[in-house]
Amino acid sequence: MSVSTVGNGRIELSTRTALLAVGDLLAIAVFVGVGEVTHGINPILNPGRFAGTLTPFYVGWLLVAGLGGLYTAGATATIRAALGRTIVGWVLAVGIAQGLRSTAVFPGSAALTFALVSVLVGGTLLLLWRSAVTIVK
């Protein structure tokens, strides 16, 4: 299979990595959507608020995933690689998201408890998704 790469080989342009990216973004959106509903905000009726909450996580994840090689064959070659890289990537992405949320541009703030919940819940969704992709190959 021929695979194109960009960013000094940090991103492989293939059907598999495209599917992986779509699943990642869906997992993050589910995490944020459930969080919004838990706090009494309907994401469908408040799409601006939902987008404002979601965007810092997308920015953080895509930045870290792109620079960290999370969209390469090696990132999901083994369960160990998938779990290790995903955990480190998500923790860094949450840090970036919290930094963005501490600005006036995005709703919310940089609360330690929210960062911990983000790492645990969002991370669990990403780990489940990426583990499934790794097992199915």
Side-chain angles (χ1 to χ4, degrees):
M1 174 174 75
S2 176
V3 175
S4 297
T5 62
V6 295
N8 293 327
R10 290 188 185 110
I11 299 173
E12 293 176 0
L13 302 177
S14 69
T15 303
R16 180 177 167 83
T17 55
L19 176 66
L20 189 60
V22 168
D24 288 347
L25 296 177
L26 286 173
I28 295 167
V30 166
F31 155 66
V32 171
V34 169
E36 295 283 71
V37 169
T38 301
H39 291 284
I41 299 163
N42 185 327
I44 295 169
L45 298 177
N46 298 293
R49 165 67 188 218
F50 177 65
T53 304
L54 183 60
T55 299
F57 289 100
Y58 275 1
V59 169
W61 177 253
L62 292 173
L63 182 64
V64 170
L67 293 174
L70 293 174
Y71 292 120
T72 63
T76 56
T78 66
I79 288 290
R80 184 178 185 157
L83 296 179
R85 290 184 184 196
T86 302
I87 290 167
V88 171
W90 183 242
V91 168
L92 293 172
V94 168
I96 292 167
Q98 291 301 304
L100 292 171
R101 286 174 53 89
S102 69
T103 68
V105 177
F106 298 101
S109 62
L112 179 59
T113 53
F114 182 57
L116 293 174
V117 168
S118 299
V119 167
L120 294 174
V121 178
T124 298
L125 292 172
L126 285 168
L127 288 170
L128 289 171
W129 163 243
R130 285 179 155 252
S131 294
V133 169
T134 301
I135 291 167
V136 170
K137 287 189 192 180

